[in-house]
Amino acid sequence: PAPPAPPARCPLGACWYSCEASIGARWSVGGRRRLRPMVAEALVYLAKGDGGRVAKHGGPTHAAVTACLFYVVVLGAGVLADCGVEAVARTPRDTQLPPSPVAVVVFVAYWALLFGSRLAWAPSDCAKTIYELAWSCTASLLSAALALCLRRAALLCAAGLMVAIDQALWLVDIIGYLALGKMPVKVCGYLFWPSTTLAKKVTAMHHVVFIPATLFLGARGDSGIPLGRAFLVVAVQTVACQAICRFATPLELPPPRGVPGSSRTSEAPVYLNLNLCYESFPGVKVE
């Protein structure tokens, strides 16, 4: 008897495999060649130059791209690290937080107020204001909001750990100033720099209340505060934070172009040093 006929192939399936093979062939031949220079150009653009002289650091475009990349990578790294630790440990998800819609709104609204007020107060400092969104103390606001939306206690705890040393030293300086009349560490001494605007001083208050807020919100979870797991998450986030800041942001920015509203009057480069990726801040006692 004649062998059975092979099953008829679906026309849609045949069309799909044909298109897939065609796209794959084109990609292997020319796609990679076109992608490599595009990636190289993007990396060259992102890479910092001599900040006091390179024009791209004086405008908002490079600052905005860097800030967006920073938030995507650092916040994404935190989520992936938390999920990875959960998967490796093979434990049931015990990091559920109760819904906190009010806290999410407060964190996001404060972040928006911080950015908007600083930008409106000194419009000529636009590039510097956008770059400074990548400060970990500012990014931790959105990191905490994301953690509350996902209801992950370890991610929320990591947002607090990311700024724990800095903001604990703020309390040391404040208590020392009230008790002794001077700041022992001067970690918040930049508030008294002539270049620091009033808007920046007013919107620096989260350095005092952020850690207590994260502790309060994190303690509401069923399993308390997962400190050990949060240390692993924040370690990944810190590496990503420092890598981006060191790669894409300079130590100093070009001076402003004389636009009214600038917080500076000299033509000297503007000190940036995001997340202390180059050195300790001037005046901070680290010895």
Side-chain angles (χ1 to χ4, degrees):
R9 192 172 184 180
C10 174
L12 291 177
C15 180
W16 165 258
Y17 287 117
S18 175
C19 292
E20 186 180 32
S22 176
I23 293 173
R26 293 179 182 179
W27 169 256
S28 61
V29 174
R32 295 177 185 175
R33 295 178 183 176
R34 291 192 297 269
L35 181 63
R36 288 171 185 171
M38 290 173 60
V39 172
E41 289 175 9
L43 291 176
V44 169
Y45 176 75
L46 281 171
K48 65 180 181 292
D50 186 352
R53 299 184 178 89
V54 177
K56 70 179 179 182
H57 293 303
T61 305
H62 185 272
V65 172
T66 301
C68 290
L69 177 67
F70 179 90
Y71 276 84
V72 170
V73 173
V74 174
L75 270 62
V79 174
L80 292 176
D82 191 24
C83 294
V85 172
E86 185 178 79
V88 170
R90 294 184 179 180
T91 57
R93 183 175 177 184
D94 57 354
T95 57
Q96 283 279 1
L97 290 171
S100 305
V102 175
V104 172
V105 171
V106 169
F107 281 136
V108 175
Y110 183 87
W111 182 92
L113 175 66
L114 179 150
F115 176 55
S117 61
R118 293 181 182 185
L119 189 62
W121 191 274
S124 68
D125 294 342
C126 178
K128 184 172 185 288
T129 302
I130 297 174
Y131 274 123
E132 288 182 338
L133 291 176
W135 274 108
S136 57
C137 53
T138 303
S140 61
L141 295 167
L142 292 191
S143 181
L146 177 62
L148 291 173
C149 289
L150 299 176
R151 301 173 61 184
R152 304 189 75 94
L155 192 59
L156 177 64
C157 184
L161 287 175
M162 187 184 295
V163 295
I165 296 176
D166 170 61
Q167 297 189 4
L169 292 177
W170 265 68
L171 297 177
V172 171
D173 274 347
I174 291 173
I175 294 172
Y177 185 79
L178 294 176
L180 306 173
K182 62 180 181 179
M183 294 181 290
V185 186
K186 294 184 179 180
V187 73
C188 55
Y190 73 92
L191 294 178
F192 301 96
W193 292 358
S195 61
T196 303
T197 64
L198 178 61
K200 192 170 184 178
K201 294 177 182 179
V202 172
T203 55
M205 293 303 103
H206 61 284
H207 291 86
V208 180
V209 300
F210 179 72
I211 289 182
T214 55
L215 287 174
F216 170 76
L217 294 167
R220 298 169 64 215
D222 296 334
S223 60
I225 299 174
L227 195 60
R229 181 164 161 178
F231 267 114
L232 298 176
V233 175
V234 78
V236 175
Q237 288 184 304
T238 301
V239 171
C241 167
Q242 290 295 312
I244 293 175
C245 289
R246 184 78 184 201
F247 177 76
T249 66
L251 175 64
E252 297 175 327
L253 296 176
R257 300 179 180 179
V259 179
S262 172
S263 62
R264 300 173 300 276
T265 56
S266 68
E267 292 300 317
V270 182
Y271 192 71
L272 187 62
N273 190 24
L274 283 180
N275 293 306
L276 310 184
C277 64
Y278 290 96
E279 62 187 17
S280 174
F281 248 50
V284 176
K285 298 179 182 179
V286 294
E287 296 181 357

